[in-house]
Amino acid sequence: MVELGGNGLPQISKGLEGVYVTSSSISKVNGQEGKLYYRGFSIESLSENSNFEEVVYLLINGSLPSKPQLDEITAQLSDNRDLPDGIIKIIKELSGKGHPMDILRTAVSALSSYDKEVSDTSPAANMNKSLRIISKMSSIVAATGRFVSGKEYIAPDKSLDYVENFLYMLNGERPSAEQADIMRNMFILHAEHSTNASTFGTLVAGSTLADIYSAITAGISVLKGPLHGGADEAALRMMREIGDPENTESYIESALEGKKKIMGFGHRVYKAYDPRAKIIKKYLVKYQNGQFDELRKLASIALRAEKLMIDKLGASRGIWPNVDFFAGPVYLAAGIPPELFTPIFATSRSAGWCAHMLDYWKDNKLFRPLEWYTGSIDLEYIPIEKRQ
Ligand code: ACO
């Protein structure tokens, strides 16, 4: 029974702002203080000490693994990296036509047809499928990167860890220690963020008891938009448009005057500095004085834009840099092309999506919110020949 207010209308929360839809112990976003915890561990401590395999284990199982448990999940994530030939063909066919995020969505959806356990809804099968998805998504994104740049598919190297293998499959060579460290961090920082839009999209699909491939495909679709995961690519596009660091302030001022949003700033929950952005910013401060021309320029533009935005909208409006703002230049430093930023975000976030989905299914309830109808009723049906 819906309670109506004094005006006879229900309380509508557009965008579900301020509405709790479920509870979990997977991650805690403290938006007022700018803090983030995965299963109780601060994002800073994980960024400093952990690797992606361990974070996957932590998110899905709820605690840090023992050494044998870490070895086991590392082996599972490694053994599942191969892509069926049919999926490689799909990726090749679409590369150069669609955006890599669209290719990822299509390929993950198609993967379900190659999984014999697709309709097995037991917790064990759902866990197996989750690890397959997390593992294969990195191969799909790497393969897309190869085909888009006119190169051939490279098979996974099972002796490498998750992040190193991704970079190897993308670039055809083992990454430098710096590249691997940047991407280890990016994968950890993007792995989970509570019930945001894409996690909610995943849960809505899964709550119908559709299989986990459908749920993750929904998550990818939701993440694509520039108001969510797509902001990383859009923020870099803006920095490149600014071009010269000296143009930064005038560009931002005029965009704000024109009521344009600056991509990579603002957040529904964080009304303080996003702690992930703080970690990523450390790399940029280094690049500001580095030797690569484009990177030096982009770092300088990003840091000047950050300062101006904080002065204008930080404390006064609670609009601070989010994880997507500094990500672009840092990805570039690791040799990642812009069209792969959001697919990499999705690959990393698949860990959080799967953790939430497995958890939600333990006590599933179909999502079915209400809509307040504002139209007419009982209108007279007029045959088409008599309509004006
Ligand atoms: N630049 C300028 N103004 C902004 C920005 C921004 N980036 N973000 C919010 N505002 C302003 C809005 O114009 C609005 O102003 P108004 O009250 O004068 O109309 C006010 O702040 C509230 O903005 P909403 O979009 O209504 O707030 P919401 O909570 O829905 O927004 C969102 C959150 C969508 C992330 C928003 O801040 C935004 O669009 N940011 C840019 C896109 C982005 O960076 N997305 C990535 C988020 S992090 C992630 O998903 C991984």
Side-chain angles (χ1 to χ4, degrees), residues 48 53 63 72 79 86 109 113 124 145 188 297 308 318 337 347 351 367:
E48 203 156 317
E53 285 87 337
S63 58
E72 190 184 346
D79 290 345
S109 175
S113 304
I188 291 174
K297 258 192 205 164
L308 181 71
T347 302
F367 280 103

Side-chain angles (χ1 to χ4, degrees), residues 47 50-52 163-164 166-167 175-190 276 279-284 286-287 292 295 326-336 341 344 348:
S47 150
S50 195
N51 65 16
F52 187 62
V163 168
E164 287 170 342
F166 167 70
L167 290 166
S176 68
E178 188 179 353
Q179 274 178 321
D181 178 62
I182 293 174
M183 293 309 289
R184 178 192 62 81
N185 240 319
M186 297 306 254
F187 271 90
I188 291 174
L189 296 178
H190 288 87
R276 303 165 299 175
I279 294 171
I280 300 175
K281 182 183 165 183
K282 283 187 204 150
Y283 290 104
L284 277 199
K286 207 168 76 184
Y287 301 146
F292 299 110
L295 211 48
F326 297 121
V330 173
Y331 277 132
L332 285 186
I336 306 292
F341 297 172
I344 290 172
S348 152

